[in-house]
Amino acid sequence: MNKMPNHSIIVIDIAGNTVKIRVFGQHLISKMQVIGFSSINEFMVLPVSDDQDKKRIIRLLISEGALFYMDMVGIRQK
């Protein structure tokens, strides 16, 4: 069973016009709220206006050490 790291940001979804993350650690949650993310259930979400805005948010997440989750469902190995 996989365990989420303490004090981490996991990027769940960056497709479409919303960035969805999972954040562990109150300090990081507060930082993400300052950026503009809001809490919805166990996730934090931020609407993005265009690709430029999305790239800006991705750069911020990378600078905070975010981990990017890759959903491998439906991908076949060759």
Side-chain angles (χ1 to χ4, degrees):
M1 178 178 200
N2 293 336
K3 184 179 181 206
M4 296 293 192
N6 293 329
H7 308 289
S8 62
I9 302 167
I10 312 294
V11 180
I12 304 296
D13 188 5
I14 56 174
N17 60 355
T18 303
V19 176
K20 183 178 182 181
I21 62 177
R22 183 92 191 263
V23 183
F24 300 91
Q26 189 55 49
H27 178 68
L28 288 173
I29 290 170
S30 296
K31 276 186 158 184
M32 296 301 103
Q33 288 171 330
V34 169
I35 292 171
F37 281 90
S38 57
S39 295
I40 298 180
N41 298 324
E42 70 235 20
F43 299 104
M44 297 188 83
V45 296
L46 177 67
V48 291
S49 56
D50 56 23
D51 282 345
Q52 199 70 5
D53 190 29
K54 187 183 293 185
K55 288 176 187 176
R56 180 183 66 82
I57 297 301
I58 290 170
R59 282 193 295 274
L60 285 169
L61 292 168
I62 290 170
S63 73
E64 291 296 332
L67 304 170
F68 288 75
Y69 171 77
M70 179 182 278
D71 186 359
M72 301 298 286
V73 174
I75 297 176
R76 296 182 196 189
Q77 292 186 4
K78 294 183 180 192

